[in-house]
Each structure stands twice: as C-alpha cells, then as structure tokens.
Amino acid sequence: MKIAFVGKGGSGKTTLASLFLRHLGAAARPVLAVDADINQHLAGALGASEPETVALPTLGENLPLIKNYLRGDNPRIASVDEMVKTTPADRGSRVLRVVEDNPIYDACVREIDGVRLAVTGPFGEDDLGVACYHSKVGAVELMLNHMVDGSGEYVVVDMTAGADSFASGLFTRFDVTFLVCEPTVRSIGVYRQYLGYAKDFGVKVAVVGNKISDDDDLAFLRDQVGEDLLTWVTRSGHVRAAERGEVRPIDAFEPENREALRTMQTLVDSTGKDWQRYQDQAVEFHLRNAHAWANERTGRDLAEQIDPEFTLGAVALAGSAVNAG
C-alpha cells in the first residue's frame, strides 16, 4: 500500500511517520520510506545523525537517472527531456517495486535503523527565491506513477505540511492518507481545508490525533472530526527522548501508543486497491499539467504519452515488470 502522512506544520506528522515506519520495520515488513517534506527531518527522526543526514543522496539530484530508467523502451516518449513529473507509465515503461535491485534505489535509497529511505532533498542556494519546492517532489510523483506495490508491501511518504500537497497531483497517489491532527483550532483548520480539497478525488483520509494530554483533548478532537478520527497518540516520553536525540527502540514505545500504530496498520492492510482509479487520476493530472505548462515547455503534446489501455494493476496481477530490460 502507498501511505501518506500529512498535517499542519509542527503537528508531529514526521514523528508519527517515523514511528509507523519503525513499527513496520520491526515486523520485517517490506517498506520504502520517502521524505517529501521541505524540512527533510525524516532521516533524523529514524535515528540518523546529522552528518549521516547531510550525506544522504537525493532524488532531486538524480532526476535524470530516474527519468532514464523509468522511460525504458516506452515508444510514446522520444527522449527523457519529454518526461515531466506527471508522465504516466505504459507498456514500454519500466516499473518500480518496493523491494528490488535497480539503479534508482542503488543511487538514492539508504537504510536507517532497518528502514529503507529516499529523500527528495532540501532547497539549495541556487533554488532560493527562484524555485518552487514542488518541482523537487516531482521525482516522487514520477516514481509513484511507475510503482507497483504488492500484497504486504508499504511505501510511506512524509508529505509537505498543510495544504501544500495539493500543488500537484501527488496527493492522489496514496491508498491511505493519515492526517495528523493536534487538539487545536489551527490543526482542525488544516484538517477541514485538506478534506475540502480532497473530497472530489476519492482520497481515503484517516485522522490520527497527536499530543493528546487528557480527556478534554480527546473530546475536542472527537467533536471536531467525528468518525474520521481513527486513533490517537498521547503525549509521550518516548517521543520527547527522540526530540532530544535519544532514539529508543520501537518496543519501548508506550503500549497504548504502540496500539495506535497497530490500528493504523490494520486500516492500511484492510484497504483495497483501485488500480483503475489510480491510472485515471494519473492521466487526469498529466493532462492538467500538459495544458497548463508542460506542452509549452517540452514543445510536444504530452497527451500523446498516455496509453489508454494500460493500468499498473495489470502489471501487479502479472507479477512481473512491464519491461525488465
């Protein structure tokens, strides 16, 4: 399953994403983590030191490699210069799987405390004042458009804060979106804004309460989000220790909070795949971007990249890559 963590800045979404990843890792589940947040804190939350975090390779700096690999023998794409963040897969493309050996993972994925992680990369000096961060997360969208995740496999993405996720079609690339929500008016505001944007796209949103101190906090969340509240995490000494740089084993997480992680996994595991909708939405946002800017930038009608008879679901059922070459 493909899983996103979203929420207001400071709500604890990166912390909960790291805890969920370490929970899956402890169970030896096949998992790939992606940090697509501009702040790039997921590696540290998983236990990487600052020098290790700084040394991580980035998806942004390897975008040409990513495009070249995914393009494969796709006859609809004459060159990698015609590939944009929304380019969908077709029968000539290469696809990605959660656990495999490929040049993208070799260049971009590193293991931290048992979790395989790829990072988008922070703003560089050349980006400041002239670039949009969403151009950097385009590598993530492109990879997810070519990703076939099998049964019992997980791709977990720590997204940008607030409603910034809606600056591209990336928000539609997930089977479950966990919206981390504090018991505050501002956090509830982000929740309502997110649901308002997502409601027309079939996005499955589950609210995870965070930093719950007492019954009043819980009652506030229940009153504000209703049935969308899946579970909650109380204020945690385990988390506070991690914020001081002491990353403890996931088995030391408070029992009631570990149970919240199990509840989240149960929801994910019980959610069905809809490969046709996944492909339809990839096509929809590809056409939107083509008409808005990409046709002009590439000098081609990028609608020609769409294979109307292809879905990634066919690849998943076949159990083999579209093109293993």
Side-chain angles (χ1 to χ4, degrees):
M1 304 297 286
K2 301 179 181 73
I3 305 152
F5 279 79
V6 302
K8 180 183 73 66
S11 63
K13 67 177 182 60
T14 298
T15 298
L16 283 183
S18 69
L19 290 166
F20 188 67
L21 284 161
R22 296 176 71 220
H23 168 77
L24 295 175
R29 296 300 183 99
V31 61
L32 175 66
V34 181
D35 191 346
D37 187 354
I38 189 172
N39 293 311
Q40 298 285 279
H41 290 323
L42 185 56
L46 288 169
S49 67
E50 184 173 352
E52 289 172 330
T53 299
V54 171
L56 288 173
T58 70
L59 296 174
E61 67 190 8
N62 285 284
L63 186 57
L65 179 152
I66 293 169
K67 288 183 175 182
N68 188 61
Y69 181 77
L70 296 178
R71 177 189 169 212
D73 295 326
N74 188 337
R76 298 172 183 272
I77 303 173
S79 73
V80 293
D81 292 336
E82 296 179 6
M83 292 188 75
V84 295
K85 64 182 182 179
T86 55
T87 296
D90 85 353
R91 284 169 287 186
S93 307
R94 289 190 180 98
V95 298
L96 297 175
R97 297 184 179 276
V98 176
V99 179
E100 66 174 357
D101 293 323
N102 64 58
I104 296 175
Y105 292 174
D106 289 344
C108 303
V109 175
R110 298 293 182 267
E111 185 171 307
I112 299 174
D113 194 24
V115 175
R116 294 160 54 248
L117 172 68
V119 302
T120 303
F123 266 120
E125 290 185 5
D126 293 341
D127 300 320
L128 297 177
V130 297
C132 170
Y133 187 69
H134 302 288
S135 64
K136 290 186 174 291
V137 300
V140 181
E141 188 169 358
L142 187 61
M143 289 171 60
L144 292 183
N145 277 348
H146 293 73
M147 175 72 71
V148 177
D149 43 315
S151 176
E153 297 178 334
Y154 306 84
V155 181
V156 179
V157 181
D158 183 19
M159 296 281 281
T160 54
D164 285 354
S165 303
F166 293 93
S168 73
L170 184 56
F171 75 96
T172 67
R173 302 295 80 195
F174 304 102
D175 302 294
V176 176
T177 295
F178 288 124
L179 197 158
V180 180
C181 196
E182 300 170 277
T184 67
V185 171
R186 289 183 60 195
S187 200
I188 292 298
V190 170
Y191 155 77
R192 290 176 177 159
Q193 186 181 34
Y194 202 98
L195 257 62
Y197 287 140
K199 63 182 177 63
D200 294 329
F201 295 95
V203 176
K204 185 180 182 69
V205 176
V207 173
V208 178
N210 194 30
K211 305 177 187 177
I212 304 301
S213 295
D214 52 31
D215 290 343
D216 288 342
D217 283 347
L218 189 55
F220 175 81
L221 274 187
R222 282 176 167 157
D223 180 63
Q224 296 297 319
V225 309
E227 294 181 356
D228 287 338
L229 181 61
L230 172 69
T231 188
W232 57 91
V233 172
T234 61
R235 289 193 176 274
S236 165
H238 186 280
V239 170
R240 288 197 298 275
E243 291 171 345
R244 296 191 299 267
E246 179 190 345
V247 179
R248 298 173 178 174
I250 190 64
D251 288 343
F253 200 28
E254 295 87 356
E256 67 276 15
N257 289 333
R258 188 71 184 275
E259 187 61 32
L261 300 180
R262 295 189 183 97
T263 298
M264 294 162 66
Q265 183 183 347
T266 296
L267 175 67
V268 170
D269 290 345
S270 64
T271 298
K273 302 287 288 189
D274 189 340
W275 286 113
Q276 186 60 57
R277 185 176 69 186
Y278 194 80
Q279 187 71 12
D280 290 346
Q281 289 178 334
V283 168
E284 176 183 351
F285 280 93
H286 183 59
L287 291 175
R288 287 190 185 195
N289 281 267
H291 296 154
W293 60 272
N295 285 347
E296 181 178 357
R297 179 174 297 182
T298 62
R300 295 289 300 271
D301 179 4
L302 297 188
E304 296 174 357
Q305 294 180 345
I306 297 167
D307 183 344
E309 298 180 0
F310 176 83
T311 68
L312 285 169
V315 181
L317 290 174
S320 60
V322 177
N323 186 318

